[in-house]
Amino acid sequence: PAEFAEDHIPGAINMPCLTNEQRHEVGLLYDRSPFQARKMGSAHVCRNVADMMETHFEAKGKDYRPLVYCWRGGQRSGSVALILSEVGFRSSVLEGGYKYYRSCVQQRLKELPATFNGQIRMLSGPTGSCKTRLLKRLALRGEQVLDLEGAANHRGSVLGGQELPQPS
């Protein structure tokens, strides 16, 4: 849960197979005995996945295709995906976990602007300078517009006051 609170894929649902406390407890034991830690961790995971099966997955049909990931893409996500697959869901695991996914996205965002060959323009300016109004007018004229503040429901502007909640 702490990892999910720090960052996650937009729209993801947090269903931890280990609580923060359990993850900490298993981690401390792992330093002394990896085998004992795996036994303890697997018992926690089984109980927690059983709860998930009786709640979230209960109403899902066999065509449900969850993408399972954890922070580093290791045993936790693999354990959950294995159980879901054995039940009959066609689950996938995000290889390398969220940290690897995030680093790939960040790298791609660094590389992507060069592929536009000068066809991209960034609009910036101080708060209250009508940037959003200009973007909306450009969009009405048929221009392609990416309003990042609008997509994030940014409410930082003195004049911005939007009713939708700002996403995490």
Side-chain angles (χ1 to χ4, degrees):
E3 295 166 332
F4 187 85
E6 183 177 330
D7 202 5
H8 57 272
I9 295 174
I13 301 167
N14 187 23
M15 288 189 281
C17 63
L18 292 174
T19 66
N20 293 331
E21 296 77 20
Q22 290 167 341
R23 192 167 51 90
H24 180 73
E25 178 184 29
V26 170
L28 290 175
L29 181 57
Y30 191 88
D31 291 338
R32 294 190 316 269
S33 172
F35 179 71
Q36 292 298 326
R38 285 190 178 102
K39 288 191 332 186
M40 175 191 288
S42 66
H44 289 314
V45 167
C46 288
R47 281 189 288 275
N48 294 336
V49 171
D51 289 341
M52 290 179 212
M53 295 304 295
E54 293 171 343
T55 56
H56 179 77
F57 293 104
E58 179 63 30
K60 304 295 183 194
K62 68 179 186 177
D63 60 333
Y64 186 61
R65 299 183 65 182
L67 171 65
V68 181
Y69 71 92
C70 61
W71 197 248
R72 291 183 306 260
Q75 293 179 336
R76 290 177 291 158
S77 57
S79 298
V80 173
L82 174 65
I83 295 168
L84 293 175
S85 294
E86 289 297 316
V87 168
F89 294 113
R90 291 176 50 201
S91 63
S92 301
V93 176
L94 184 63
E95 295 300 325
Y98 181 75
K99 283 179 72 174
Y100 180 71
Y101 164 81
R102 182 175 64 182
S103 71
C104 289
V105 169
Q106 289 171 337
Q107 182 61 37
R108 188 71 178 122
L109 288 174
K110 287 178 186 173
E111 298 165 356
L112 197 57
T115 66
F116 290 112
N117 299 322
Q119 300 288 324
I120 189 168
R121 304 284 185 260
M122 183 173 74
L123 176 63
S124 64
T127 298
S129 63
C130 299
K131 297 180 297 290
T132 301
R133 186 179 300 165
L134 177 59
L135 290 175
K136 287 181 180 178
R137 292 232 175 142
L138 288 168
L140 286 173
R141 288 180 38 191
E143 299 292 334
Q144 285 188 330
V145 172
L146 176 59
D147 180 2
L148 296 176
E149 286 188 354
N153 282 333
H154 189 268
R155 298 176 301 185
S157 172
V158 171
L159 307 173
Q162 296 188 21
E163 304 219 356
L164 296 172
Q166 197 163 337
S168 59

